[in-house]
Amino acid sequence: MSDRPESGSADMHPNWPALVEDTAQPWETLSTRLMFEGMRAISEDHVRLPSGVETTYQYRRRGPRAVFALPVTTDGQAVLIRQYRYPLRATVTEVVAGGVEAGESFLLAAQREVAEEVGGRGGEWVALPGFYPQPSISGVVFYPFLALGVTLGDMAHEDTETIERVILPLPEAYRMLEAGEIHDGPSSLTLFHARRVLEARGLL
């Protein structure tokens, strides 16, 4: 799967085409091996730096992509989730998120995740700036959206998910953000980038 966004799509943010590999690479890859296969495969490369120093680097290769979405209902309520995260052994407040399936556009992936996780459908979808969540160890790229005028219905959680839908006024969601109560980094950045649009629409 290419890591390049859908070129020319009206549903993409202007910064998305920049989220690709540089044309010139200052590090030379001397060898590479797959340490761990699976959904979160880990590679180890032997590399030579511009200084001539050689070292090994363990990381997730570029390619996996995920979408994030902040749904806002027709009456101006933010829709977040509370989800149990096993590595933390803690339940965390987040925006809706999920992986992009093969052949799926970022917009369709975000709409699917919002429908599944919080039962949200319809609305106006605004692409927000994409970003690298952990560039020192991972090549994953995240693509966030703001969804305005969403209506809520039935949810369709996966058997492996422990999710609670949380509906609250937008000012309360941003109070939580400013108070440091949103501990998930990608969710915080999605909320940060959505603020400008919400303020321009008079919703915040």
Side-chain angles (χ1 to χ4, degrees):
M1 176 186 296
S2 170
D3 70 326
R4 294 184 178 273
E6 301 87 343
S7 178
S9 170
D11 302 320
M12 64 188 291
H13 187 274
N15 94 317
W16 290 3
L19 300 175
V20 295
E21 294 181 2
D22 293 346
T23 302
Q25 295 292 317
W27 288 20
E28 179 185 0
T29 304
L30 303 175
S31 65
T32 184
R33 72 183 183 97
L34 189 62
M35 296 182 64
F36 174 76
E37 293 190 61
M39 187 172 65
R40 294 177 176 84
I42 302 296
S43 295
E44 181 179 79
D45 290 2
H46 185 63
V47 297
R48 181 182 294 124
L49 281 59
S51 63
V53 170
E54 295 185 11
T55 188
T56 56
Y57 210 97
Q58 297 172 356
Y59 65 106
R60 286 187 70 191
R61 299 188 69 87
R62 177 184 277 273
R65 303 173 298 177
V67 289
F68 288 73
L70 172 62
V72 178
T73 63
T74 52
D75 61 348
Q77 303 283 309
V79 186
L80 303 178
I81 62 172
R82 293 271 295 160
Q83 182 163 201
Y84 179 73
R85 292 301 192 181
Y86 182 75
L88 299 174
R89 306 301 200 270
T91 300
V92 182
T93 300
E94 306 174 355
V95 300
V96 172
V100 180
E101 297 179 355
E104 190 176 38
S105 73
F106 300 137
L107 177 60
L108 288 177
Q111 291 173 333
R112 173 180 52 76
E113 289 293 343
V114 167
E116 291 173 358
E117 293 194 357
V118 298
R121 291 169 178 80
E124 175 190 357
W125 290 75
V126 180
L128 302 173
F131 55 92
Y132 302 130
Q134 290 182 303
S136 64
I137 61 171
S138 175
V140 174
V141 188
F142 287 170
Y143 298 90
F145 288 88
L146 169 64
L148 300 170
V150 171
T151 57
L152 299 179
D154 293 335
M155 298 172 284
H157 296 161
E158 298 177 8
D159 292 341
T160 56
E161 294 176 325
T162 305
I163 295 177
E164 172 193 359
R165 182 172 66 186
V166 179
I167 305 169
L168 68 170
L170 275 167
E172 173 60 13
Y174 279 89
R175 183 206 65 76
M176 294 174 65
L177 176 67
E178 292 165 1
E181 296 173 13
I182 308 293
H183 302 149
D184 177 59
S187 296
S188 295
L189 195 52
T190 299
L191 284 159
F192 171 82
H193 284 305
R195 185 196 296 267
R196 176 184 57 81
V197 181
L198 293 169
E199 289 177 343
R201 301 293 182 93
L203 295 172
L204 190 61

